[in-house]
Amino acid sequence: MDPDFDRRIERRESDSYKWDDNERLFGRVDLLPFWVADMDFATPAPVLQAISERCDHPILGYGKRSQEYFSAIQGWLKTRHGWDVPKEWLMFSPPSSIVGIGGIISVLTEPGASIAAPTPTYGPLLTLVEQNGRKLIRNPLKETNGRYELDIDDLAQKIVADTQMVILCSPHNPVGRVFSREELAALAELAEEHDLIVVSDEVHCDLILPGHRHIPYGSIGGERSVTVISPNKTFNTAGIPQSTLIIPSEEIRARYQVFLNTMQLNHDSTFGAAGMIAGYRHCAPWLDELNVYLAANHELAENFFLERMPAIKKIHAEATYLGWLDFRQLGLSQDEIMHRLVEIGGVGLYGGTEFGAEGAGFFRMNLACPRELLELGLLGIEKAVEKS
Ligand SMILES: Cc1ncc(COP(=O)(O)O)c(C=O)c1O
């Protein structure tokens, strides 16, 4: 059966973080949520079926990673991203990507060391650096006429003696860039020169809009890289998380293993594993259709702002379902815009500073929803800013 991305599925009262936590976060229950990164689309049928079939066996005890588990990941990386990855490179981070990234920071850098991150970026990547007692070096993405690029010259100037790591988000949340081979190669060269490890958070790597191609950082950065992937965004399975760290260096793998042992992080969720295998095995056609739908949602939003609210600019996206909206021309504070969005527009978006100070003046809108809902959200934004 063809996926029906236009289908509205009621998520209220399903213990959904996105739909059932709005009062706590925005002070309003009846808000339309466009904030946290999960999708209002059904998880693909083969994934749901695999999870339900797992329940045919009535015992849900500790699981072990099967050969099928490893080969599903290897097959996906090869066919989807053109990357041949030996089984030994695959390490895991139960229960989720962000835990593994925290672990990598703790074992590969020293307390007090500095870690650079191209900013703005997914907020928890910044928080992890500071909460682990490391210093953050901000390396703002270079913005030219609404297009962002890695600023390797700025990074080169900011690296100091105790800089040990760079944390990249690729493709980029929130600005939606698919970084080019040249940008990634320049980063890899700098990392080599200064003895840095690059951790590349690639959990959005399957959400690539038609016409673009994702390049796994590890396929360029080799032994100095840790690449993080996950099916959670791809198949909308964040509630049963699964995540893989791809680590080419034997020495880094051994150090990361110490973190896993210390925290006793050994087992994946049985449902997460079953869902991931089914997704990677059977859902490439579904994903292709999803990306076409997402591209159309991006285009709709981009045109909506161009035609009806030119003071707000939507940054052109190459990947992800996240719209990065530039409100700077309105000359209002984030608090004022947020207040209007919530109270007048009835919509919940993330304020740009969730992604670091460089996000000031921006909001992030999650566009992974049926088009009818997206249109309601855009009308809400229009109503909220109409009189400014
Ligand atoms: C770039 C990025 N990394 C990591 C995560 C979180 O992934 P997980 O739920 O696997 O920890 C997200 C979720 O939005 C994300 O956007």
Side-chain angles (χ1 to χ4, degrees), residues 37 96-99 122 125 169 173 201 203-204 230 232-233 241 243:
S96 73
S97 325
I98 214 71
V99 172
Y122 176 59
L125 298 178
C169 185
N173 169 11
D201 176 343
V203 308
H204 292 272
S230 162
N232 303 352
K233 302 291 171 204
S243 164

Side-chain angles (χ1 to χ4, degrees), residues 110-124:
E110 284 149 28
S114 62
I115 298 179
T119 48
T121 194
Y122 176 59

Side-chain angles (χ1 to χ4, degrees), residues 321-340:
Y321 46 68
L322 307 165
W324 188 235
L325 309 180
D326 182 352
F327 282 68
R328 287 175 297 182
Q329 217 174 299
L330 294 184
L332 300 172
S333 70
Q334 179 169 300
D335 285 352
E336 173 62 23
I337 299 170
M338 183 67 92
H339 177 78
R340 290 185 187 203

